[in-house]
Amino acid sequence: MLLVSYGAVVVSKDIWRAGSPGHAVRASLSVQALPGTSATPESLDRTRKALAERFRHICGHKVTVGLDGNVLKVSATNVTEAQLRSVTVIGQLQIRPVIHAIASQFKGTPSTQAPTRAPDAQRIADEKALRQSARPQIQLLALQFQATRCGQGDVLADNDDPNLPLVTCSADGKSVYLLDKSIIGGDEVKAASARWSDKAGGFVVLITFDDKAAGTWSTFTAANIGARTAFTIDTQVVSAPELREAMTTGRTQIHADFTGDTARAFAAVAAGGPLPLPVSVGSVQISEIPAPLWTVPRIAVLGGGVVVIIAIVLGVVLMTRWGPRHRYGVDHACSCTALTCGLSPLCGFGSWRSVLVSWWFVPGRLGACIHCVCRHACTPGQFACPWCTESSVPSLVRHARTRGMRSDENRSTET
């Protein structure tokens, strides 16, 4: 037991070291009404619930999202500012075939500000006329012009028409795509989760479609093997993989340059659908919190240790109560010349119950000695037993099998 305990401490020594401090975030999010409308209490509440679910999806703890007028007050632990900004996007998922792609002229890091709907309806209309045109000449012009604007917030975020082509940038700002009309929308996604993939060598996002979208995806992938398909969030291309086989299971994996945090954020946005109302991040306060004392690995090790100790104690108890009957009552001789039954190998620890139970294992002759053993008659006395008075005799089992049971009268005469 000491060796097991020492081994457990050595193997699990890393989990007892002081962990890294966690993060607690407090933020104010301004809710914006749709152009030409006002936010209703119902839409505000649905936006609040959708954001709370996204924070839980990225493994946020102690998540609270309160509503104060048109301002959402967010409080959560285990969430960074980057994660907060990544889940406050509108989150409109579209799957579009790739028609063409070129490199952008953007150099640097894309803005982390969540794109929101522009209040200017005329500007939205102008962007649609340029970037969602079906005319090849305008599409080529839009590609070249958009290559100079990657890395900025997009006016068409959640304002694009899914039934028209789209010129847009990648999420990292390095590529510009001309995409065909959408074949599957975010409202057709049943579930989404992030996980590590050994085959991909990184994090992937597993998307599960509803029945209608599953049929559409199966037909499309079977007919377009070798083509590229873009997965977009708010018009930005997150991933544009090449289709290598037909996908008929109703599920697909999205491969991108994901980290664990970005993969969980993408899955949270895809699983919950777009926000009913767009929000913009206002003030953000990040504070450190001490590392928790009771982590899952520590609880697992301590719980396993308790289970091992209970198993050892239970094994000792069972061996104490049952082991001697098997070991001595069957395989050894009585050898009780000058010993009481309490010291007899047959009786183990002197319990008369152990002798009674021995009837199960030692049939025959043992019955003749039951009174002798229970009354400590192995020593010479009034109830001396002839089979327990020899110093070295065969085991009771072999003795019983060779000589058989005798009647009470014969035993009294022999005695």
Side-chain angles (χ1 to χ4, degrees):
M1 184 174 176
L2 290 176
L3 291 177
V4 171
S5 301
Y6 179 76
V9 171
V10 171
V11 171
S12 61
K13 60 182 180 180
D14 291 338
I15 70 173
W16 303 109
R17 296 174 180 173
S20 302
H23 295 87
V25 61
R26 293 180 180 274
S28 296
L29 311 177
S30 299
V31 182
Q32 301 176 359
L34 299 175
T37 65
S38 60
T40 63
E42 292 77 9
S43 60
L44 288 170
D45 188 61
R46 287 190 287 113
T47 302
R48 180 189 66 80
K49 292 179 179 178
L51 277 174
E53 186 59 32
R54 286 185 180 183
F55 280 111
R56 295 187 185 97
H57 204 287
I58 62 174
C59 303
H61 300 157
K62 301 179 180 178
V63 177
T64 59
V65 180
L67 185 60
D68 182 12
N70 283 5
V71 177
L72 294 172
K73 301 291 186 178
V74 178
S75 175
T77 61
N78 199 36
V79 175
T80 64
E81 182 177 355
Q83 288 178 304
L84 179 141
R85 293 185 179 277
S86 64
V87 297
T88 53
V89 298
I90 299 170
Q92 183 63 261
L93 171 68
Q94 299 287 347
I95 301 179
R96 294 172 174 265
V98 176
I99 299 175
H100 190 59
I102 64 173
S104 76
Q105 301 176 17
F106 174 74
K107 305 295 182 183
T109 303
S111 172
T112 58
Q113 178 64 40
T116 62
R117 293 181 176 91
D120 188 353
Q122 183 59 47
R123 186 180 177 191
I124 296 175
D126 293 341
E127 287 288 332
K128 284 185 176 180
L130 174 65
R131 295 168 51 194
Q132 292 206 273
S133 173
R135 297 174 58 182
Q137 298 87 347
I138 297 180
Q139 289 174 349
L140 179 60
L141 178 63
L143 275 171
Q144 295 173 347
F145 180 58
Q146 190 67 16
T148 64
R149 302 194 301 173
C150 289
Q152 304 174 11
D154 193 353
V155 174
L156 288 183
D158 196 40
N159 289 310
D160 61 314
D161 188 341
N163 296 314
L164 293 175
L166 174 67
V167 174
T168 189
C169 297
S170 61
D172 59 7
K174 296 180 180 179
S175 301
V176 183
Y177 293 88
L178 170 59
L179 307 177
D180 205 346
K181 64 180 182 180
S182 175
I183 58 173
I184 296 176
D187 56 346
E188 298 175 281
V189 173
K190 184 187 297 184
S193 60
R195 63 185 61 183
W196 175 266
S197 172
D198 291 331
K199 183 177 180 180
F203 284 93
V204 299
V205 176
L206 181 64
I207 299 290
T208 302
F209 301 114
D210 62 17
D211 294 339
K212 179 182 177 181
T216 301
W217 185 242
S218 176
T219 302
F220 176 81
T221 54
N224 293 274
I225 295 177
R228 296 179 67 187
T229 304
F231 295 82
T232 68
I233 290 288
D234 296 335
T235 72
Q236 290 189 337
V237 177
V238 177
S239 177
E242 179 182 329
L243 299 177
R244 298 182 180 180
E245 59 183 354
M247 302 178 189
T248 59
T249 62
R251 298 188 300 175
T252 189
Q253 282 187 350
I254 300 178
H255 302 262
D257 189 17
F258 286 128
T259 64
D261 290 343
T262 58
R264 283 188 289 271
F266 181 88
V269 172
L275 296 178
L277 295 173
V279 299
S280 60
V281 180
S283 62
V284 179
Q285 297 179 351
I286 303 294
S287 58
E288 287 190 354
I289 56 177
L293 176 62
W294 295 108
T295 60
V296 173
R298 291 179 182 180
I299 294 175
V301 169
L302 292 177
V306 171
V307 171
V308 170
I309 292 174
I310 293 176
I312 292 175
V313 172
L314 183 61
V316 171
V317 171
L318 291 177
M319 289 298 295
T320 300
R321 293 181 60 83
W322 297 92
R325 288 192 290 277
H326 294 270
R327 187 168 62 253
Y328 298 119
V330 177
D331 298 325
H332 293 72
C334 191
S335 303
C336 306
T337 302
L339 300 176
T340 65
C341 292
L343 300 178
S344 171
L346 172 66
C347 304
F349 291 91
S351 171
W352 62 271
R353 289 186 296 274
S354 67
V355 180
L356 292 178
V357 176
S358 296
W359 280 74
W360 303 345
F361 309 108
V362 189
R365 277 291 174 147
L366 182 61
C369 283
I370 189 66
H371 293 292
C372 304
V373 175
C374 290
R375 300 192 183 192
H376 301 282
C378 289
T379 54
Q382 180 180 1
F383 298 99
C385 209
W387 302 288
C388 294
T389 54
E390 299 180 52
S391 59
S392 296
V393 294
S395 70
L396 289 175
V397 174
R398 294 197 298 271
H399 203 76
R401 288 176 179 174
T402 55
R403 298 186 61 177
M405 278 294 292
R406 300 183 180 181
S407 63
D408 292 339
E409 292 80 9
N410 292 337
R411 287 198 297 275
S412 298
T413 304
E414 185 175 354
T415 300

